[in-house]
Amino acid sequence: MTYAAISPLAKTELFSEQWQPKVVAEMNDYQFKVARLEGDFVWHSHADTDETFIVLEGSLRIDFRDGAVELAAGEMFVVPKGKEHKPFAAKEVKVMLIEPRGVVNTGDEDQGERTAQNDVWI
Amino acid sequence: MTYAAISPLAKTELFSEQWQPKVVAEMNDYQFKVARLEGDFVWHSHADTDETFIVLEGSLRIDFRDGAVELAAGEMFVVPKGKEHKPFAAKEVKVMLIEPRGVVNTGDEDQGERTAQNDVWI
């Protein structure tokens, strides 16, 4: 049989909404999620897990309380658990996130409308 | 302070040997490894974990006993735990692997010279 490759970037063409991560694959109890981001997100952290960002198209800045990292397409960064961060994109950026199943986009506190529905596949 | 982005593709320019994965980042107890692959690898499986392949440059085929998947640059595939597989690349391909720390490239059986040193960072 022929197995299907997954193209994270192509998956981002299947939806237009921003800040709503969609699951494209699972590895053990981890999920690969793609999202379109633009503008400023909310400050948050994940007490129990690191979180990986991979930029698929565009560029992303992740702000920390003590600095920032700038990611171009093809670049990645692992935000350590417990570290407050705030993604920012001047123009829309397409990213892939890797984190354990069940992790909420806004971190450990409910942040209202910015909190996305979890475990949505595409 | 300025944090450093990681470019998996740029990391592959720092070495030339094939079939020798190098760690570029960690997320919890998982590692991101880059490698140059060319030709046929050995059949193997990982009884306890899934294994993720992301193609950075070039193209990769992963053979299974019942089929195969073809991956172009930017595409990914998660090989389920326990599933026998054999990577193949007609021309050199640059890939990123994601798997738990400690996973050996040739799987659960010692396969001699094809077994790479583990946990080598670059």
Side-chain angles (χ1 to χ4, degrees), chain B residues 87-106:
Chain B
F88 168 78
K91 295 180 183 177
E92 188 178 71
V93 61
K94 296 170 180 175
V95 302
M96 183 159 70
L97 310 171
I98 312 170
E99 57 200 2
R101 192 182 300 127
V103 170
V104 172
N105 66 325
T106 50

Side-chain angles (χ1 to χ4, degrees), chain B residues 14-120:
Chain B
L14 303 179
F15 62 95
S16 60
E17 62 269 33
Q18 298 177 333
W19 304 106
Q20 301 287 325
K22 319 280 191 207
V23 181
V24 299
E26 286 186 332
M27 167 186 57
N28 300 325
D29 55 343
Y30 282 67
Q31 290 185 326
F32 295 82
K33 305 173 184 177
V34 297
R36 291 169 178 255
L37 313 180
E38 185 173 4
D40 257 312
F41 201 53
V42 289
W43 283 104
H44 69 283
S45 61
H46 308 279
D48 299 324
T49 182
D50 300 341
E51 179 177 36
T52 300
F53 290 77
I54 300 178
V55 173
L56 302 173
E57 189 178 276
S59 58
L60 175 72
R61 192 182 77 213
I62 307 174
D63 291 329
F64 305 107
R65 294 297 188 184
D66 62 351
V69 62
E70 301 264 5
L71 303 179
E75 293 184 334
M76 61 178 284
F77 192 80
V78 182
V79 177
K81 66 181 176 183
K83 190 166 184 73
E84 278 192 292
H85 59 284
K86 181 181 65 61
F88 168 78
K91 295 180 183 177
E92 188 178 71
V93 61
K94 296 170 180 175
V95 302
M96 183 159 70
L97 310 171
I98 312 170
E99 57 200 2
R101 192 182 300 127
V103 170
V104 172
N105 66 325
T106 50
D108 301 322
E109 294 176 47
D110 180 14
Q111 303 220 40
E113 65 179 15
R114 301 312 293 266
T115 299
Q117 190 179 350
N118 206 351
D119 203 28
V120 176

Side-chain angles (χ1 to χ4, degrees), chain A residues 36-107:
Chain A
R36 290 169 179 257
L37 313 180
E38 185 172 5
D40 257 312
F41 201 53
V42 289
W43 283 104
H44 68 283
S45 60
H46 308 279
D48 299 324
T49 182
D50 300 342
E51 179 178 35
T52 300
F53 289 78
I54 300 178
V55 173
L56 303 173
E57 189 178 277
S59 58
L60 176 72
R61 192 182 77 212
I62 307 174
D63 290 329
F64 305 107
R65 295 296 189 185
D66 62 352
V69 63
E70 301 265 5
L71 303 180
E75 293 184 333
M76 61 178 284
F77 192 80
V78 182
V79 177
K81 66 181 176 185
K83 190 167 184 74
E84 276 193 291
H85 59 284
K86 182 182 65 61
F88 168 78
K91 296 180 183 176
E92 188 179 70
V93 60
K94 297 171 179 174
V95 303
M96 183 159 70
L97 310 171
I98 312 170
E99 56 200 2
R101 192 183 299 127
V103 169
V104 173
N105 66 325
T106 50

Side-chain angles (χ1 to χ4, degrees), chain A residues 10-41:
Chain A
K11 290 284 192 183
T12 68
E13 301 299 329
L14 303 180
F15 63 96
S16 60
E17 63 269 33
Q18 298 178 333
W19 303 106
Q20 300 289 325
K22 320 281 191 206
V23 182
V24 299
E26 286 186 333
M27 167 187 57
N28 300 324
D29 55 342
Y30 281 68
Q31 291 184 325
F32 295 82
K33 305 174 185 177
V34 297
R36 290 169 179 257
L37 313 180
E38 185 172 5
D40 257 312
F41 201 53

